[in-house]
Amino acid sequence: KTTYGSATLMIASNLPDIDVLVFATSTPSVAFRRGWTHGVLADVVLPVALTAVMVAIARRRGRTDVRAGSILLLSYVGVLLHVAMDLLNTYGVRLLMPFSQRWFYGDVLFIIDPWLWVTLGAGLWLARRGRSVKPARISLLVATAYVAAMLVSARLARAEMIDRWQQVSGRPPQGVMVGPMPITPLRRQVIIDEGDRYESGTFTWGPRSIRFDQRIVPKNDRDP
C-alpha cells in the first residue's frame, strides 16, 4: 500500500516499550514501565509522532510513494496491538495513564507464550517458503482463536476459583489471580489475597482440580 509500511508496523509494534530506557536510570523500573508510554494518551500521540517521522524520512530521501494516511493507520495498529497484548498477561498495563495509576491485568497469556510464537512463526516461515500469504493468514486466525480460548479459560477458571474459595472459607477473597503458566495452557497459577497473608496453588483443567500449596506467605504489612 505504501513505502515504509512494513518498517512502520514493526517500529509501531515495539514503540510503547521505549520506556525500557528507564533501566539506564536509577528509577525503579516498576515505577515507570507500562505506564506513560502504554496509557491512553500515548496510544493517541505515539502513532501521530511516528507518522510524522516516517513521512519526514521519506521526503528527505526523495520518496514520493509514501502515503501518510496508510502510515498513520499502520502506526495505530502496531501501537494499539502492542498495548492489547501486554494487557493479556499478568504484568499488566496502567491503561489510563497519565490520568490514573491503576493497573489492569488480563491474566490470559504467559508473558512469553511459546505456542503463540510457534503458531505465528510457522505461518511466516511457510508463507515465505511457499511465496503465498495464505499460511500467514491461517496462522493469524489460529493465534487469534488460541488467545480467545485462553481468555475464556481464564475467566471461567477465575470464577470457579472464587466460588470454591467462598464455599471453603465462607467469604470472598480480597484479591485473586488465576494466571497463565509457561508451556502448559491447561494449568494456571493461583494466588489468593487473604487479607494478612497470601496463599498460592494450581488450577488444572484436565482433569479439573484445585490444589493449594502448604506454604503461606504472611504480608507483614502492619510491621514497620
Side-chain angles (χ1 to χ4, degrees):
K1 301 292 184 181
T2 177
T3 190
Y4 298 156
S6 295
T8 298
L9 190 55
M10 284 186 279
I11 294 170
S13 295
N14 290 279
L15 192 54
D17 274 348
I18 195 172
D19 60 2
V20 297
L21 294 175
V22 72
F23 290 118
T25 72
S26 59
T27 303
S29 61
V30 73
F32 193 77
R33 282 283 284 136
R34 296 200 179 182
W36 279 87
T37 61
H38 288 67
V40 288
L41 187 60
D43 293 343
V44 173
V45 173
L46 285 179
V48 176
L50 178 59
T51 298
V53 170
M54 298 305 289
V55 170
I57 291 174
R59 288 177 178 174
R60 185 178 180 84
R61 293 185 172 184
R63 300 296 297 263
T64 59
D65 51 350
V66 63
R67 298 180 180 180
S70 296
I71 294 293
L72 182 63
L73 176 61
L74 290 169
S75 297
Y76 271 110
V77 168
V79 169
L80 293 177
L81 281 179
H82 176 112
V83 175
M85 293 298 286
D86 277 353
L87 187 60
L88 291 176
N89 57 55
T90 53
Y91 195 131
V93 174
R94 282 174 281 186
L95 198 57
L96 302 179
M97 280 289 285
F99 309 108
S100 171
Q101 288 273 1
R102 179 186 173 189
W103 286 87
F104 294 84
Y105 310 90
D107 295 344
V108 176
L109 298 177
F110 193 70
I111 193 166
I112 300 177
D113 190 300
W115 302 115
L116 206 54
W117 282 66
V118 167
T119 300
L120 295 173
L124 179 61
W125 181 75
L126 290 171
R128 291 172 66 92
R129 185 183 184 188
R131 298 182 181 275
S132 169
V133 299
K134 187 176 180 180
R137 290 174 175 170
I138 292 174
S139 74
L140 194 59
L141 288 174
V142 172
T144 302
Y146 170 71
V147 171
M150 290 293 286
L151 178 60
V152 172
S153 168
R155 294 298 171 263
L156 292 176
R158 179 183 174 87
E160 183 166 333
M161 190 66 242
I162 293 175
D163 183 61
R164 182 74 63 87
W165 183 266
Q166 289 184 141
Q167 291 177 11
V168 173
S169 65
R171 61 185 184 277
Q174 289 195 12
V176 59
M177 183 198 82
V178 185
M181 300 178 71
I183 303 176
T184 55
L186 297 180
R187 297 181 66 209
R188 307 188 76 82
Q189 180 188 21
V190 176
I191 299 178
I192 297 288
D193 182 350
E194 183 53 3
D196 62 344
R197 66 186 186 274
Y198 294 110
E199 295 193 33
S200 60
T202 305
F203 180 97
T204 306
W205 278 112
R208 186 178 300 186
S209 65
I210 298 174
R211 181 184 61 82
F212 275 94
D213 302 331
Q214 294 293 326
R215 191 169 70 96
I216 294 175
V217 180
K219 284 187 177 179
N220 293 325
D221 56 352
R222 297 179 182 177
D223 189 331

